[in-house]
Amino acid sequence: NTHEKALKVLAISEVHRVASSAAVTLQIERLQGTEALDAGDPLLAAGFALNGTANTVVRKSGTALTATKTFLVLSQGDRLALDDSGTPTDLAGLVVTVLVEEL
């Protein structure tokens, strides 16, 4: 649809049912065009700790999001990717929620 509007990321939340036994972080990336995982723009100032307390929602917004505000704008065709810093051993039940608004 050529009338689709851009979106702005306002907040990102993460929760998991079973924590990783390894210290692993989760970054959310914006991918554009043909960008592959690890080549995108990070949306979080610091990633989520996947070895944190289970069943506890962690929400990041405001200054916990990237300081590069243009990265938070999603245009038609952009994608979001989950990029972990290692092997999230034993991690289970991961849920990521992204709150956006139309621009």
Side-chain angles (χ1 to χ4, degrees):
N1 183 342
T2 58
H3 300 291
E4 288 186 31
K5 296 184 181 188
L7 301 174
K8 180 181 179 186
V9 175
L10 300 177
I12 303 174
S13 300
E14 176 276 331
V15 63
H16 47 268
R17 184 173 32 86
V18 178
S20 172
S21 58
V24 176
T25 59
L26 175 69
Q27 179 61 258
I28 311 301
E29 290 184 338
R30 176 189 70 172
L31 303 177
Q32 297 179 302
T34 60
E35 286 180 326
L37 184 61
D38 293 328
D41 303 313
L43 300 188
L44 303 172
F48 291 106
L50 296 182
N51 62 337
T53 305
N55 298 314
T56 302
V57 177
V58 178
R59 183 176 192 265
K60 297 191 178 215
S61 62
T63 59
L65 299 176
T66 180
T68 309
K69 298 308 176 194
T70 56
F71 290 178
L72 299 174
V73 176
L74 306 174
S75 298
Q76 185 176 359
D78 288 355
R79 302 164 324 280
L80 295 179
L82 308 180
D83 185 15
D84 57 58
S85 66
T87 304
T89 307
D90 300 323
L91 180 72
L94 174 69
V95 176
V96 175
T97 305
V98 180
L99 176 65
V100 296
E101 73 175 349
E102 261 188 4
L103 291 178

